[in-house]
C-alpha cells in the first residue's frame, strides 16, 4: 500500500533529516500511536522507531525525549504481549510477519539499549528499563541464530559495562585472555547498578548457558603421508559467537557467581535425570 511505502521511505531518510523534524513534531507520536498499533503497518513503523532510537551523540536536551519514547513504546508493546510471554512458540509457528516482527523487535531493543543505556538509568525510567530488558530476554530465547546474535551484542555490552563499573579502581579484567582465574569467592559489591539489573541478569545467565555455542574443535587425523596431525575446524561465525558468549558469561559470573553456579547445577541435574539436556530431548 501507499502508506507502507511511505513508511519505508521515511525509514531511509531518518538518519540524516534535521532532528527538529523528528523531536519537535508529532512524528514519533504518530508512529507509536497510529501505525505501530496496526498490525499491517507495525513492522514498517518499528523500522522507523529503530532508526530514531539508535541515534547517538546528541545533545543532553534530547535525553528526556528518548526516555519518553522508550516508555511509550513499552506501553504500546504491552498491549501486544507481556514480558512474561514465551515467544519461542510464537516465532516457530507464527506467520512470516510475526517472525519478522520479533526480529525487528530485537533490533529495536538491542540498539536502543546500546545507544541510551545511561539515559534510561535515570530514576524516572528505571522500571521501563528493566521491563525492556525482560522483553529482550524473551526475544533472546527464540530459536533463531541471527536474532540471538543481535541480542548477544546488547548483553555483552551490558555485562562488560557492569563489570568494569564494579572494578574501576585499577583491578581491570580482560575476558578475552586465555589465562585467567575467576575470583569466585570475592566479596559482594554494593553497587546500585548491579542490583538494579540483578533480576534481568539471572535470565541472561539462563539464556547464555542454555545456548552456548561450540568452541573451536580440534580433530586428530591422519594426513596423506600417514602422519597423525591435528586439524582445526574453521567456522568463523560460530567461533566468534562462542568467544562473545564466553566473555559475556565470565563477566556475568563475576557479577554473581552463586547464581551462575546454581543455574549450572540445575542444568546438570536435569541432564542426569533425563528431563532436559539429554539425547532424548
Amino acid at each position: 500500500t501507499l502508506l507502507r511505502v511511505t513508511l519505508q521511505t521515511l525509514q531511509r531518510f531518518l538518519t540524516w533529516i534535521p532532528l527538529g523534524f523528528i523531536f519537535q513534531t508529532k512524528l514519533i507520536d504518530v508512529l507509536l500511536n497510529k501505525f505501530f498499533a496496526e498490525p499491517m503497518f507495525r513492522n514498517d513503523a518499528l523500522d522507523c522507531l529503530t532508526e530514531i532510537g539508535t541515534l547517538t551523540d546528541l545533545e543532553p536536551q534530547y535525553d528526556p525525549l528518548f526516555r519518553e519514547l522508550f516508555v511509550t513504546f513499552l506501553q504500546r508493546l504491552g498491549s501486544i504481549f507481556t514480558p512474561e510471554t514465551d515467544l519461542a512458540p510464537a516465532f516457530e509457528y507464527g506467520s512470516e510477519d510475526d517472525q519478522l516482527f520479533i526480529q525487528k523487535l530485537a533490533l529495536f531493543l538491542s540498539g536502543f539499549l546500546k545507544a541510551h543505556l545511561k539515559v534510561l538509568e535515570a530514576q524516572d525510567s528505571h522500571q521501563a528499563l528493566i521491563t525492556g530488558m525482560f522483553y529482550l530476554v524473551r526475544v533472546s530465547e527464540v530459536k533463531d541464530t541471527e536474532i540471538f546474535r543481535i541480542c548477544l551484542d546488547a548483553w555483552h555490552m551490558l555485562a562488560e559495562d557492569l563489570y568494569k563499573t564494579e572494578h574501576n579502581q585499577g583491578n581491570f579484567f580482560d575476558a578475552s585472555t586465555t589465562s585467567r582465574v575467576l575470583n569466585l569467592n570475592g566479596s559482594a559489591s554494593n553497587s546500585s547498578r548491579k542490583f538494579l539489573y540483578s533480576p534481568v541478569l539471572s535470565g541472561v545467565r539462563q539464556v547464555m548457558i542454555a545456548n552456548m555455542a561450540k568452541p573451536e574443535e580440534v580433530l586428530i587425523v591422519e594426513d596423506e603421508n600417514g602422519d597423525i596431525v591435528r586439524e582445526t575446524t574453521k567456522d568463523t561465525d560460530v567461533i566468534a559467537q562462542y568467544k562473545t558468549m564466553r566473555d559475556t558469561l565470565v563477566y556475568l559470573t563475576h557479577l554473581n557467581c552463586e547464581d551462575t553456579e546454581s543455574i549450572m547445577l540445575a542444568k546438570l541435574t536435569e541432564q542426569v535425570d533425563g528431563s532436559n539436556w539429554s539425547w532424548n530431548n
Side-chain angles (χ1 to χ4, degrees):
T1 66
L2 180 60
L3 283 175
R4 290 193 62 184
V5 174
T6 302
L7 287 170
Q8 293 165 8
T9 304
L10 173 64
Q11 183 259 332
R12 288 163 173 80
F13 278 87
L14 278 170
T15 54
W16 58 270
I17 65 175
L19 295 176
F21 288 100
I22 300 175
F23 295 103
Q24 297 174 17
T25 66
K26 294 184 178 180
L27 175 62
I28 295 176
D29 180 67
V30 170
L31 287 172
L32 283 171
N33 298 312
K34 184 174 183 178
F35 291 109
F36 185 72
E38 293 293 331
M40 180 185 300
F41 306 116
R42 183 170 294 151
N43 287 341
D44 295 315
L46 187 51
D47 281 336
C48 295
L49 292 169
T50 300
E51 291 291 344
I52 297 172
T54 53
L55 292 172
T56 56
D57 301 322
L58 304 185
E59 297 295 327
Q61 70 191 63
Y62 293 103
D63 291 352
L65 300 178
F66 280 111
R67 285 194 288 268
E68 182 181 356
L69 165 59
F70 194 72
V71 170
T72 306
F73 174 82
L74 292 181
Q75 291 172 351
R76 300 296 170 267
L77 184 62
S79 65
I80 303 173
F81 63 89
T82 67
E84 293 77 29
T85 304
D86 184 2
L87 295 181
F91 184 85
E92 184 176 357
Y93 303 111
S95 66
E96 184 177 347
D97 283 344
D98 292 336
Q99 295 174 348
L100 195 58
F101 172 69
I102 293 175
Q103 183 181 46
K104 292 179 183 296
L105 181 61
L107 288 168
F108 175 85
L109 292 172
S110 178
F112 202 106
L113 293 173
K114 287 191 292 183
H116 305 292
L117 181 65
K118 297 297 173 62
V119 172
L120 294 174
E121 287 181 350
Q123 186 67 40
D124 59 348
S125 57
H126 273 184
Q127 187 57 50
L129 173 59
I130 297 305
T131 301
M133 287 191 166
F134 274 123
Y135 272 114
L136 191 59
V137 170
R138 294 292 168 260
V139 175
S140 303
E141 294 171 347
V142 169
K143 300 302 181 183
D144 182 88
T145 303
E146 292 306 315
I147 291 178
F148 182 77
R149 287 174 179 170
I150 293 169
C151 301
L152 178 59
D153 286 340
W155 297 134
H156 181 268
M157 178 276 298
L158 175 65
E160 182 179 27
D161 184 45
L162 289 175
Y163 178 84
K164 289 180 178 179
T165 300
E166 294 291 299
H167 299 76
N168 60 359
Q169 300 298 325
N171 183 23
F172 178 73
F173 167 78
D174 183 2
S176 64
T177 57
T178 56
S179 57
R180 59 176 178 267
V181 177
L182 298 181
N183 181 20
L184 299 181
N185 296 317
S187 59
S189 169
N190 292 322
S191 167
S192 59
R193 289 190 74 217
K194 186 174 76 170
F195 287 108
L196 169 66
Y197 293 111
S198 59
V200 175
L201 295 182
S202 183
V204 179
R205 292 184 188 97
Q206 293 268 9
V207 171
M208 291 296 127
I209 293 171
N211 296 280
M212 180 60 69
K214 293 191 301 182
E216 188 174 23
E217 294 184 84
V218 178
L219 305 177
I220 306 301
V221 298
E222 183 177 351
D223 64 11
E224 62 274 13
N225 299 319
D227 298 325
I228 303 300
V229 297
R230 295 197 307 172
E231 182 181 90
T232 303
T233 58
K234 296 296 182 184
D235 190 340
T236 307
D237 290 341
V238 173
I239 293 172
Q241 180 179 334
Y242 164 74
K243 290 180 179 179
T244 303
M245 293 183 70
R246 177 198 65 191
D247 294 349
T248 303
L249 189 55
V250 169
Y251 286 131
L252 292 170
T253 301
H254 274 274
L255 292 169
N256 190 332
C257 59
E258 291 86 1
D259 187 47
T260 304
E261 181 181 12
S262 66
I263 293 171
M264 287 185 169
L265 288 174
K267 291 291 185 182
L268 290 172
T269 301
E270 291 174 350
Q271 186 177 30
V272 170
D273 63 27
S275 62
N276 201 354
W277 271 26
S278 70
W279 293 110
N280 299 322
N281 49 43

